[in-house]
Amino acid sequence: MTQVGFRRAIIQFLDEKLVPVVGERHVIEGKQDEGATSSFEITGISPEAIKVFGSDIPYFISQEGVGDVAATISLLDLPHELDHKVLGREKNANGVYHAGESTRPPYCAILFESSDLRGQKIGTGLYAGKFGRGTVGSASKEGTPPTPEADQYSFAPTAKQIEGKNETVGFAHSDDEYSALFEELFGEAPDTSGSGSDTGDATGE
């Protein structure tokens, strides 16, 4: 299945029990000064196949579950408050954010929205995990209008119980499946009235 584009990402903060926190869902979809999506990649979904030999031939192939799942997400101009929040940086009384011994990124769920070659909506979801960003930097201007580059975040997923099974990644390939995945990730159905989070309006700051 070929995916085209990256329309939006929806980030939902979770508590330590992986329950969605009310009012803490954020939509990144290119609205002015609210950030935009650039790219995402999820690796390690399939586990390594292990061949079991017998009678001098590969008699059985063992391959179950998922591999070492990891994600890389590139976002452009993410609001600095949200940037610090997903990374667990705390704000001091003087307004300075700190990264240090007490830094502890929160659990989040995330939904990526794209489409297939025929324009059908595709949803790819990570049920729980933590963001990371190991590098911060900049470069000198060179006399021409700068072209901003997206910031790259890592995301370390963990499994979550979905209908009695430990699940890590969810896939949807229709409007109905997307709505079902949305509800699995965020604990409620998407708002299709035109004013809710499924249309790009965040339910929290």
Side-chain angles (χ1 to χ4, degrees):
M1 177 175 59
T2 301
Q3 297 193 35
V4 178
F6 183 12
R7 183 182 180 190
R8 65 165 63 110
I10 305 176
I11 300 170
Q12 170 70 60
F13 285 87
L14 309 174
D15 64 19
E16 289 297 311
K17 295 183 179 180
L18 307 185
V19 176
V21 178
V22 176
E24 288 292 350
R25 188 160 67 241
H26 304 263
V27 180
I28 313 300
E29 61 171 359
K31 288 188 176 181
Q32 186 67 40
D33 300 323
E34 295 182 14
T37 57
S38 179
S39 65
F40 76 91
E41 182 180 44
I42 304 173
T43 60
I45 298 175
S46 295
E48 182 181 356
I50 300 174
K51 295 181 179 180
V52 179
F53 284 80
S55 298
D56 298 332
I57 61 171
Y59 182 74
F60 178 75
I61 297 178
S62 176
Q63 189 177 28
E64 186 175 358
V66 295
D68 184 11
V69 182
T72 302
I73 307 154
S74 294
L75 301 173
L76 184 66
D77 193 30
L78 191 68
H80 76 276
E81 297 92 345
L82 182 56
D83 172 67
H84 290 305
K85 190 169 185 176
V86 298
L87 297 171
R89 299 170 183 162
E90 296 183 353
K91 188 176 183 179
N92 200 15
N94 63 4
V96 176
Y97 286 90
H98 292 157
E101 63 180 14
S102 63
T103 301
R104 188 180 181 188
Y107 284 106
C108 294
I110 187 165
L111 174 59
F112 307 111
E113 181 183 327
S114 55
S115 61
D116 65 14
L117 295 174
R118 288 156 290 282
Q120 177 62 59
K121 183 186 294 184
I122 293 176
T124 308
L126 295 166
Y127 291 102
K130 294 190 175 187
F131 280 89
R133 185 181 173 195
T135 303
V136 176
S138 190
S140 173
K141 295 180 180 179
E142 298 181 353
T144 57
T147 301
E149 295 183 0
D151 296 314
Q152 190 173 92
Y153 298 82
S154 63
F155 190 82
T158 187
K160 182 178 179 179
Q161 283 273 316
I162 304 294
E163 296 184 357
K165 295 182 179 180
N166 288 320
E167 308 291 4
T168 305
V169 190
F171 304 93
H173 192 191
S174 71
D175 289 343
D176 288 343
E177 290 177 9
Y178 182 93
S179 295
L181 177 59
F182 187 103
E183 188 166 1
E184 286 185 349
L185 289 162
F186 307 139
E188 61 183 3
D191 184 344
T192 57
S193 66
S195 61
S197 58
D198 189 37
T199 61
D201 295 327
T203 59
E205 297 298 331

